[in-house]
Amino acid sequence: YFHDLLCRRREGEEGRRYLSQRGLSEKIIKEHRLGYSLDRWDGLVQHLREKKVSLDLARELGLIFPKKREGWYDAFRGRVLFPIFDLHQRVVGFGGRLIRAGEPKYLNSPESSIYHKGEILYGLLMAKGYIPEKECVIIAEGYFDLLTLHQFGLKHSVATLGTALTAHHVRILKRYTKHLITVFDSDEAGIQASLRVLPLFLEEEIEGKTVLLPEDEDPDGFLRKGNVEDFEKRVTHAVPLTDFFFERLMKTHDVKSIDGKVKAAEEGMALIDKIPNMIRKNFYTKTLAERLDLPESLLMESLRSSPKDRTKAEQDLKKRPPERSFPKSEEMVVRLMIHYPDLIPAIIKEGILKEFESSVLQRMAEALGGLYQKRGRLDLTEALGCLEEDVRERLSEFAFQESDLKAGDREKILKDCMQKIRKKRLKEDEGEILKKIREAEKQRKGKGLDDLLMERQEMTRRGKAL
């Protein structure tokens, strides 16, 4: 009925003119059985009555709706129609594009006993014969994008039906190929649509790629401007979606800051955690670590923690009372040990760790030093594994700290930090000695007082030497 109206009836002239303006050929219109619905309330209702078709069934399929009092009216009015076929060549639903001004611009059949939009892809009935030959499938978003792709010879293309790509869609396409290429609009919505499908691809072990179009372009418009050869080259050199995700991650977060680096790492590892193949998982973990300039072992540790463990750690972190900040010089020594393990032998030789005020930093530094002496290198994963939870959390935080110091600067900073730690410790010790001296003077302990005075003189000498 709808196809006949568009192609053979005088009333379909408006639909034919509109599709011609959109650049669609008569061949494509016939291949995809496009149609037209009259701009009146009962065009289909009258046709179904003449054919003695059940109106209740038509209502169930979303083709007509009941009026408030009695009677029926057409769901699709004044629209070009895109019939949706299942793989058995049966029409299971329709999409309709309004020709004149008004809303909604697009109208789709509701879910029914025979139509489930999360399970059907527009154009797959025709594309399935071309996908194996091309060894890939192009996934677009809209009806016109799909029709234009087919018109320009890219018949190994399908489109989603007003919904995001689903796991069921991916499994259907896997029957024909494991090479899926998205080509969505180049605006922010299109970019987000491409990124949303990545977890589905990873979970299904699919090699997903995306075609990047120039700004403000969509497949339909880009191809109709005569860019077929350019488009085909972009398909041939489609960007792996994982690379696209990492690039987007670097642009979205300020990875030069600690917070930005932490957020990028968390988002990246949440995605990588969905990859079932361990080789791929390790490869992408290494890639993310290199991009963020972080130890790979630190990111691997976050993978080894189960979701339950991570949730518990987050809850514990919320319950934990705020801890006062660490002594800055001691914290910097630990950070230097993490990022520049070659400094650890000098730090241990100086014996500075014994003078730490913070017991948390002291335990952390001693663990790092012990592992380095044992292995001749520093393995952060091993270090994280042998520390208590509170110390482990702090070590993870420090490892995310941006650090890019030249060799001479590292040594100078280390020397300055050790000097400050010793001066502070000496000042505290002098305070304790002064208390003892005053107490001894009150009790008139001659020998004990002399010893304390000599100890204070030694401290003064050490202080001048620093």
Side-chain angles (χ1 to χ4, degrees):
Y1 168 72
F2 293 131
H3 184 63
D4 187 60
L5 266 176
L6 177 67
C7 297
R8 299 185 181 89
R9 303 262 292 274
R10 180 174 54 82
E11 299 97 315
E13 175 59 31
E14 186 178 27
R16 291 192 292 272
R17 187 167 58 249
Y18 175 78
L19 291 175
S20 176
Q21 290 169 354
R22 294 297 301 251
L24 292 183
S25 67
E26 188 176 334
K27 181 183 178 183
I28 282 292
I29 290 170
K30 289 182 177 178
E31 280 181 354
H32 290 268
R33 305 286 294 173
L34 302 190
Y36 172 72
S37 61
L38 297 171
D39 191 13
R40 51 183 280 190
W41 291 94
D42 62 351
L44 178 61
V45 171
Q46 293 294 345
H47 176 74
L48 294 176
R49 279 178 173 154
E50 289 172 9
K51 296 293 182 179
K52 294 182 169 45
V53 175
S54 167
L55 297 185
D56 287 324
L57 178 60
R59 177 193 180 184
E60 184 185 335
L61 299 179
L63 292 170
I64 63 174
F65 297 118
K67 293 180 180 178
K68 287 184 178 179
R69 293 183 179 177
E70 62 177 56
W72 306 86
Y73 67 91
D74 293 1
F76 297 100
R77 302 179 305 279
R79 296 175 182 270
V80 289
L81 294 179
F82 312 93
I84 299 162
F85 294 88
D86 66 10
L87 294 177
H88 302 290
Q89 302 183 34
R90 300 174 301 192
V91 176
V92 295
F94 290 92
R97 201 314 184 167
L98 197 62
I99 294 177
R100 300 176 187 176
E103 291 293 336
K105 187 184 293 184
Y106 282 93
L107 185 66
N108 296 303
S109 292
E111 297 267 322
S112 69
S113 56
I114 61 171
Y115 175 55
H116 306 285
K117 61 184 178 181
E119 300 176 5
I120 294 179
L121 289 156
Y122 184 59
L124 181 57
L125 177 61
M126 183 172 291
K128 68 177 184 177
Y130 297 89
I131 294 170
E133 176 191 341
K134 297 291 185 178
E135 296 184 344
C136 68
V137 59
I138 297 172
I139 305 167
E141 277 190 302
Y143 298 108
F144 281 108
D145 285 343
L146 181 283
L147 294 170
T148 302
L149 284 163
H150 278 223
Q151 181 162 303
F152 284 96
L154 299 154
K155 292 183 181 289
H156 54 302
S157 307
V158 298
T160 54
L161 294 160
T163 183
L165 199 71
T166 67
H168 195 94
H169 288 146
V170 174
R171 292 187 196 110
I172 290 172
L173 293 175
K174 273 176 68 176
R175 300 172 192 168
Y176 307 99
T177 180
K178 284 197 172 185
H179 302 286
L180 276 56
I181 302 173
T182 66
V183 53
F184 298 151
D185 295 356
S186 60
D187 58 10
E188 185 61 27
I191 290 170
Q192 291 305 318
S194 291
L195 293 175
R196 278 195 299 271
V197 304
L198 180 53
L200 293 178
F201 287 176
L202 294 176
E203 288 171 359
E204 294 294 331
E205 298 191 61
I206 287 293
E207 183 184 343
K209 294 184 178 181
T210 189
V211 172
L212 303 178
L213 295 177
E215 191 174 353
D216 297 326
E217 289 284 6
D218 57 42
D220 174 36
F222 189 65
L223 286 168
R224 285 195 290 111
K225 289 174 184 174
N227 298 307
V228 180
E229 189 176 338
D230 185 354
F231 186 89
E232 289 175 340
K233 285 180 181 178
R234 289 171 187 268
V235 171
T236 302
H237 300 100
V239 179
L241 267 172
T242 311
D243 291 352
F244 181 62
F245 170 76
F246 285 151
E247 286 294 336
R248 188 73 180 171
L249 208 58
M250 301 301 114
K251 291 177 182 177
T252 304
H253 301 292
D254 177 15
V255 294
K256 291 183 179 179
S257 70
I258 301 172
D259 287 344
K261 188 169 285 195
V262 170
K263 287 175 182 175
E266 288 174 345
E267 285 184 30
M269 294 312 294
L271 180 78
I272 291 170
D273 198 29
K274 296 178 183 294
I275 303 174
N277 184 288
M278 282 306 298
I279 296 174
R280 283 182 180 274
K281 186 175 287 191
N282 289 340
F283 173 78
Y284 287 125
T285 302
K286 182 178 181 181
T287 301
L288 181 61
E290 289 173 353
R291 284 175 175 266
L292 293 175
D293 191 25
L294 291 172
E296 182 184 345
S297 54
L298 183 67
L299 299 184
M300 290 302 296
E301 174 63 23
S302 71
L303 276 181
R304 292 188 180 100
S305 301
S306 68
K308 184 178 178 182
D309 291 338
R310 288 196 292 271
T311 303
K312 183 179 183 299
E314 289 168 5
Q315 291 173 346
D316 290 345
L317 194 60
K318 289 175 184 176
K319 292 176 185 175
R320 187 175 66 194
E323 184 174 341
R324 65 184 178 85
S325 59
F326 293 123
K328 289 183 179 179
S329 296
E330 294 177 20
E331 183 178 319
M332 178 53 73
V333 171
V334 174
R335 290 183 187 278
L336 289 170
M337 293 176 78
I338 293 169
H339 291 284
Y340 308 105
D342 54 304
L343 294 175
I344 291 177
I347 292 170
I348 293 172
K349 185 178 179 181
E350 288 287 338
I352 194 66
L353 304 185
K354 294 177 183 177
E355 300 188 43
F356 272 26
E357 176 187 345
S358 168
S359 60
V360 172
L361 290 178
Q362 189 176 56
R363 298 203 311 274
M364 192 186 300
E366 287 175 347
L368 295 173
L371 283 172
Y372 187 90
Q373 286 183 309
K374 183 180 177 183
R375 305 287 188 197
R377 59 183 176 81
L378 184 61
D379 186 331
L380 279 179
T381 302
E382 189 176 358
L384 288 163
C386 67
L387 290 169
E388 301 93 330
E389 189 171 338
D390 61 330
V391 184
R392 187 166 62 241
E393 288 173 4
R394 294 295 179 180
L395 178 57
S396 296
E397 291 171 15
F398 292 163
F400 280 108
Q401 173 69 52
E402 181 78 17
S403 184
D404 186 19
L405 300 173
K406 295 178 181 178
D409 292 339
R410 301 171 205 164
E411 292 165 1
K412 184 177 183 301
I413 290 171
L414 176 60
K415 185 177 178 181
D416 290 344
C417 287
M418 291 194 295
Q419 187 179 54
K420 288 176 182 176
I421 291 168
R422 286 186 171 128
K423 282 184 175 179
K424 186 178 180 182
R425 182 63 181 266
L426 194 60
K427 190 175 180 181
E428 290 172 354
D429 289 347
E430 282 182 332
E432 288 296 319
I433 288 291
L434 285 172
K435 285 181 186 178
K436 291 179 181 179
I437 288 172
R438 283 193 286 269
E439 188 66 31
E441 285 175 339
K442 286 179 184 178
Q443 297 179 7
R444 297 179 182 177
K445 293 182 178 178
K447 180 71 170 65
L449 181 59
D450 291 342
D451 291 341
L452 290 170
L453 289 170
M454 287 180 64
E455 192 173 344
R456 188 190 177 194
Q457 285 179 347
E458 175 60 22
M459 286 183 178
T460 303
R461 186 191 65 77
R462 282 163 49 200
K464 288 179 179 178
L466 289 175

